[in-house]
Amino acid sequence: MATTIHHRTCNLCEAICGLEIEHDGSQILSIKGDKQDPFSRGHVCPKAVALKDIHEDPDRLRQPLKKVDGQWQSISWDQALDEVAEKLGAIQQAHGKDSVGVYLGNPNVHNTGSMLFSRHLLHALNTRNRFSATSVDQLPHHLIAHKLFGHQLKIPVPDIDHCDYFLVFGANPMASNGSIMTVPDVRHRLKAINQRGGKIVVIDPRRSETAEVASEHLFVRPGSDALLLSAMIHDLYASGKVATHRLHDHTDELEGLEAQFSPFSPEAVAEATGISALEIRRLVSEFTSAKNAVAYGRMGVSVHPFGTLSQYLIMLFNLLCGRLDEPGGLMFTRPAIDTLSVTGPGNFDRSRSRVRQLPAFSGEYPVATLAEEILTPGEGQIRALLTVAGNPVLSTPNGRQLDKALEQLDFMVCIDFYLNETSRHADIILPPVSPLEREHYDVIFHLLAVRNSSRYADALFEKPKDAKHDWEIFLALAERLSPARGLKQKFSHLGRRILTPKRTLDALLKRGPYKLSLKKLRAQPHGIDLGPLQPQLPEGLHHKDKRIHLNTEFFLSDLERLKTLLADTERHEQVLLIGRRHVRSNNSWLHNSQRLVKGKPRCTAQIHPRDAARMGVNEGQNVRITSRVGSLVVPAEVTDEIMPGVVSVPHGWGHQREGVQLSVAKEHAGVSVNDLTDEQAIDALSGNAALNALPVQLSAAS
Ligand SMILES: Nc1nc2c(c(=O)[nH]1)N[C@H]1C(S)=C(S)[C@@H](COP(=O)(O)OP(=O)(O)OC[C@H]3O[C@@H](n4cnc5c(=O)[nH]c(N)nc54)[C@H](O)[C@@H]3O)O[C@H]1N2
Ligand SMILES: Nc1nc2c(c(=O)[nH]1)N[C@H]1C(S)=C(S)[C@@H](COP(=O)(O)OP(=O)(O)OC[C@H]3O[C@@H](n4cnc5c(=O)[nH]c(N)nc54)[C@H](O)[C@@H]3O)O[C@H]1N2
Ligand code: SF4
Ligand SMILES: [Mo]
């Protein structure tokens, strides 16, 4: 039997590993790392083979479904698209544009066609009630990039291949494979830091997989990072180590900064953070004396009560140490597609959500308020919802509230290929093709990569005759919803040809800084290396005056709230809930792959032996975790990996719900930690959800 090798990029996470897929035209025989990919160098994680599992999964939907009297029926694409457009149109006609809500989930960002075409559907719907996974994730990064550098996507990444001191706050790239830092083969890249005599320091309430390979790990009380960072900046000034010579050329707002940090001496924050004054001073001294140091923070500090302030202080610390735009520091990328030139710079607080008055960022409200917007009557109430590649019932705070809210909708449509916890509420499900049936170019993750590179792959399998891409579904709905807009005209600058992602990509590549094209990329199926990250200040800044706008007043206004945290001695005693990721999971949607879920059930509550002893709980026995919004019973995993007074439960589990059609065995179904997380707990500056550092009660479950 003749077999062929297909080269492509894995679209499952941000690491964009090159893959080598052996197949016989219809069957996949093996999936391996592509050793000739200059960026990922043959690295893959166990999830890569899940691409085969997803493709072959009998549970994966291949035909539109309609719920009729509580039963699912297969219907034709024409009927499905007509009915969806008709319903959404009628509801908007009767109740206004904002009566239809939209939620865009994470896999959209890993889907080329969706990235390039979702705006057509959004334009056609023209609703202000837009939400996405951004506000349970990286919203603080966008807000900071928008304000400081002039564009929401102008996000610098750690130049980890050239740094010799890597200070990590609340990120676990050894499990996540990196985030807002596209870094395939992170294990070897971290190892290389150690090998060149450098140091990795991890600040985390859990001794994570990354802490295990680091030179040093410091436990920090969840939610207290902004205190720690403020003390570090305090000490930077106190010890005369501020090194802003280059920064002065690019910004002018440094006066008066020092005084704002005076309440946060290392001594003052030691108890609240769990890190001694001596250690805080040592961190600063090591960081400032290293040749190439960089500080980086991710989910553990983005999605917590001081998410934006923490990320801002990490940025400020790097800036004050002269580490922005320096090799081995925090660097900007130069991708082959200038994504920034085709996306808006972003905007903040142009409108407020109806019920809780939360600020919009770039036209999206924080998803923490989605359920109330459905449940609260009045003008502008959401009566119909469209979700695209999202599972907000499992991924957003107070999922049970949302579960109830979705039941009450007049109409719901999901563009998704699984019948899961969210799509079970739909009236119609529109399933797109499998990831292997589409071409792939990473429009976003090359932009966030620790090295400039470019790689394109055509679809591995031709899509079945009666199947549609996400982007085709978007266009079909957009045309039906607003035929007058004359969609094709919008692209006349591309030559009046029929819109496709390939044509758009080709045009964008040709316009990009390396003048590539699809033809050139096809000729190099392993991808092209475009070199290490290069300094680009001030030309690379997007503000017209080519300066960094520190916006200290806006960001540091949150120091007032931080003082309250410092004074809140009661909080020091509370048990705090944090999340966890495992290398064989991907948010909520890979648990149908038997080879990924097999083994010991992973949806456990990690607790410290001291807390276990206090409750009389042994390994494997159940604990009850209770928050303001809910209560869960979870098997305990007793381990000194976790700090005393902290409990860690992974998200994305909880598949045993009526109507879910997934083949996850009962013992692996787990529970959803977002039945505990609180929609009222948000980062005050951005409205991002505070999923980490949530106060809970912990007890033995009978
Ligand atoms: N295998 C796998 N890979 C993934 C995903 C997945 O689900 N599985 N998801 C992908 C997605 S969508 C994302 S956004 C990225 C996320 O990528 P990461 O941010 O690297 O991943 P997390 O595991 O969420 O890491 C957060 C860390 O913060 C710690 N933490 C929690 N609270 C605090 C706190 O208050 N302070 C500090 N300092 N630390 C804290 C946690 O213990 C954890 O180690 O991963 C991506 N990659
Ligand atoms: N407690 C807690 N909650 C969290 C997190 C945490 O750390 N802790 N992490 C948060 C983060 S970082 C994120 S990004 C969110 C993720 O939140 P979501 O994006 O809402 O959830 P996912 O689990 O990624 O669900 C993705 C859905 O898309 C579908 N899908 C996959 N590929 C495609 C495709 O190509 N097209 C279409 N149409 N559908 C597709 C899947 O079947 C699945 O239903 O979860 C957040 N929730
Ligand atoms: S690390 Fe991410 S991109 Fe690489 S193989 Fe695993 S899931 Fe795919
Ligand atoms: Mo994410």
Side-chain angles (χ1 to χ4, degrees):
M1 185 177 49
T3 67
T4 318
I5 302 284
H6 168 81
H7 295 102
R8 72 184 293 107
T9 320
C10 176
N11 67 296
L12 291 177
C13 89
E14 300 178 36
I16 61 173
C17 299
L19 301 179
E20 202 178 277
I21 305 182
E22 189 183 5
H23 66 99
D24 66 5
S26 60
Q27 292 284 315
I28 297 163
L29 306 170
S30 72
I31 300 183
K32 294 189 189 123
D34 179 359
K35 293 202 179 78
Q36 295 178 73
D37 181 309
F39 190 28
S40 64
R41 313 180 292 210
H43 168 80
V44 281
C45 83
K47 283 189 296 298
V49 287
L51 285 170
K52 172 179 160 78
D53 300 342
I54 298 165
H55 187 71
E56 294 170 357
D57 191 346
D59 287 341
R60 181 168 63 80
L61 307 177
R62 285 148 170 96
Q63 194 67 36
L65 291 182
K66 177 180 179 182
K67 204 186 270 157
V68 183
D69 300 327
Q71 299 295 315
W72 290 104
Q73 291 180 358
S74 283
I75 56 172
S76 74
W77 275 105
D78 276 337
Q79 183 189 347
L81 293 165
D82 287 345
E83 284 192 20
V84 168
E86 231 170 81
K87 265 289 197 196
L88 295 179
I91 288 171
Q92 285 192 316
Q93 195 91 66
H95 303 285
K97 292 283 185 193
D98 298 339
S99 60
V100 172
V102 180
Y103 173 83
L104 303 179
N106 165 280
N108 284 301
V109 190
H110 300 266
N111 180 326
T112 314
S114 302
M115 280 313 291
L116 298 174
F117 284 70
S118 59
R119 61 198 173 106
H120 297 291
L121 180 52
L122 294 173
H123 281 157
L125 283 169
N126 193 21
T127 169
R128 266 185 301 191
N129 275 318
R130 281 171 46 200
F131 305 84
S132 81
T134 291
S135 51
V136 279
D137 192 347
Q138 80 287 3
L139 177 54
H141 295 259
H142 294 308
L143 182 55
I144 291 167
H146 163 69
K147 293 229 181 230
L148 269 65
F149 310 124
H151 197 292
Q152 55 186 335
L153 293 176
K154 192 75 191 169
I155 302 176
V157 297
D159 183 15
I160 106 168
D161 287 346
H162 303 100
C163 77
D164 57 12
Y165 195 90
F166 190 33
L167 179 57
V168 180
F169 293 86
N172 188 10
M174 286 295 292
S176 70
N177 284 294
S179 186
I180 315 282
M181 168 176 75
T182 283
V183 56
D185 196 13
V186 69
R187 177 189 295 276
H188 287 105
R189 292 185 138 96
L190 291 174
K191 215 169 159 186
I193 298 177
N194 290 328
Q195 278 164 352
R196 55 182 179 262
K199 194 166 173 181
I200 303 162
V201 179
V202 172
I203 315 279
D204 199 303
R206 178 174 164 255
R207 192 167 65 247
S208 64
E209 292 76 358
T210 305
E212 289 290 353
V213 303
S215 330
E216 192 181 333
H217 165 233
L218 294 172
F219 282 118
V220 67
R221 274 287 280 172
S224 72
D225 302 80
L227 287 172
L228 171 62
L229 283 150
S230 294
M232 289 168 67
I233 293 175
H234 177 106
D235 188 57
L236 208 54
Y237 279 107
S239 59
K241 291 192 182 108
V242 171
T244 52
H245 36 281
R246 243 196 108 199
L247 182 60
H248 271 296
D249 299 340
H250 307 305
T251 188
D252 35 29
E253 291 179 63
L254 293 166
E255 304 312 314
L257 259 187
E258 180 178 2
Q260 305 215 42
F261 293 95
S262 60
F264 306 102
S265 69
E267 281 74 15
V269 308
E271 197 197 331
T273 58
I275 300 182
S276 73
L278 198 72
E279 279 172 320
I280 296 174
R281 293 207 165 83
R282 182 174 55 82
L283 281 179
V284 173
S285 152
E286 284 182 5
F287 191 96
T288 49
S289 52
K291 189 160 160 274
N292 294 321
V294 63
Y296 158 77
R298 217 19 216 116
M299 280 298 283
V301 282
S302 304
V303 185
H304 96 350
F306 290 90
T308 300
L309 182 63
S310 302
Q311 290 294 353
Y312 183 74
L313 295 176
I314 290 173
M315 181 69 74
L316 195 59
F317 186 74
N318 279 314
L319 279 162
L320 293 174
C321 292
R323 300 310 309 152
L324 180 73
D325 201 45
E326 292 286 335
L330 210 51
M331 300 278 284
F332 294 107
T333 63
R334 195 162 179 262
I337 285 183
D338 186 5
T339 314
L340 278 70
S341 72
V342 287
T343 24
N347 54 71
F348 180 62
D349 206 8
R350 271 200 194 152
S351 65
R352 295 265 170 118
S353 65
R354 180 180 63 107
V355 179
R356 223 195 298 173
Q357 299 294 305
L358 296 180
F361 182 81
S362 291
E364 289 179 0
Y365 294 124
V367 71
T369 189
L370 172 57
E372 343 175 269
E373 292 292 340
I374 300 171
L375 292 168
T376 314
E379 205 176 310
Q381 180 183 9
I382 297 177
R383 292 163 187 271
L385 184 71
L386 162 70
T387 69
V388 187
N391 193 1
V393 166
L394 293 194
S395 58
T396 67
N398 200 353
R400 288 290 174 182
Q401 184 197 31
L402 185 61
D403 227 0
K404 286 206 194 84
L406 299 184
E407 270 171 34
Q408 162 183 324
L409 288 167
D410 293 346
F411 184 68
M412 178 165 167
V413 50
C414 296
I415 304 182
D416 204 300
F417 41 55
Y418 282 112
L419 214 176
N420 61 20
E421 301 72 21
T422 297
S423 58
R424 71 191 174 120
H425 293 291
D427 295 285
I428 291 184
I429 303 178
L430 305 172
V433 300
S434 109
L436 297 177
E437 290 163 347
R438 59 186 197 227
E439 63 274 359
H440 187 73
Y441 186 90
D442 251 292
V443 182
I444 288 297
F445 297 106
H446 285 300
L447 176 72
L448 299 171
V450 301
R451 198 173 168 91
N452 294 315
S453 72
S454 187
R455 182 172 173 142
Y456 169 80
D458 281 307
L460 163 53
F461 298 123
E462 213 174 297
K463 68 171 176 147
K465 228 176 84 219
D466 194 25
K468 290 203 187 301
H469 292 286
D470 283 274
W471 64 270
E472 290 176 312
I473 301 171
F474 300 163
L475 290 189
L477 286 176
E479 271 164 339
R480 283 168 171 79
L481 278 161
S482 109
R485 288 182 75 92
L487 264 169
K488 281 176 188 139
Q489 271 176 354
K490 300 190 95 175
F491 268 62
S492 54
H493 63 285
L494 290 180
R496 286 190 188 284
R497 291 188 298 176
I498 298 166
L499 285 174
T500 64
K502 274 186 216 169
R503 291 200 173 120
T504 312
L505 272 179
D506 191 46
L508 291 172
L509 284 163
K510 284 174 177 155
R511 233 203 277 162
Y514 308 92
K515 308 283 173 237
L516 295 176
S517 64
L518 272 199
K519 195 171 160 210
K520 286 183 191 165
L521 287 181
R522 277 201 181 102
Q524 304 208 49
H526 309 290
I528 304 180
D529 181 41
L530 298 168
L533 307 182
Q534 302 289 348
Q536 50 173 266
L537 287 190
E539 304 77 32
L541 294 172
H542 279 247
H543 287 304
K544 279 205 186 78
D545 61 3
K546 296 290 166 196
R547 293 179 78 76
I548 298 169
H549 299 184
L550 281 180
N551 278 287
T552 50
E553 213 168 299
F554 171 76
F555 289 107
L556 297 183
S557 67
D558 213 18
L559 289 177
E560 282 307 313
R561 203 168 53 102
L562 194 64
K563 285 184 201 157
T564 336
L565 177 71
L566 194 56
D568 185 359
T569 45
E570 231 170 75
R571 192 180 160 92
H572 304 174
E573 305 302 318
Q574 280 168 326
V575 176
L576 301 175
L577 174 72
I578 63 168
R580 190 162 86 240
R581 280 178 161 77
H582 190 280
V583 73
R584 283 191 288 124
S585 274
N586 194 20
N587 296 325
S588 76
W589 68 283
L590 283 189
H591 298 147
N592 236 33
S593 165
Q594 295 312 314
R595 68 178 119 202
L596 291 186
V597 292
K598 71 173 184 224
K600 245 172 64 181
R602 296 198 299 270
C603 186
T604 60
Q606 290 192 337
I607 50 172
H608 188 270
R610 192 203 72 178
D611 294 323
R614 180 174 55 78
M615 296 181 290
V617 167
N618 293 318
E619 173 82 13
Q621 286 181 338
N622 285 334
V623 290
R624 178 173 290 281
I625 312 173
T626 307
S627 71
R628 184 187 73 86
V629 309
S631 185
L632 283 181
V633 172
V634 197
E637 189 183 333
V638 181
T639 168
D640 67 1
E641 264 173 32
I642 195 104
M643 245 182 137
V646 179
V647 52
S648 161
V649 181
H651 73 285
W653 299 90
H655 304 299
Q656 285 270 315
R657 291 186 195 199
E658 206 188 311
V660 169
Q661 283 180 26
L662 296 171
S663 310
V664 190
K666 192 163 180 243
E667 70 269 25
H668 288 298
V671 292
S672 175
V673 72
N674 285 322
D675 291 351
L676 288 177
T677 53
D678 189 337
E679 86 286 358
Q680 297 293 329
I682 53 170
D683 163 31
L685 285 180
S686 68
N688 205 34
L691 302 170
N692 286 311
L694 185 78
V696 291
Q697 286 97 48
L698 187 64
S699 59
S702 44

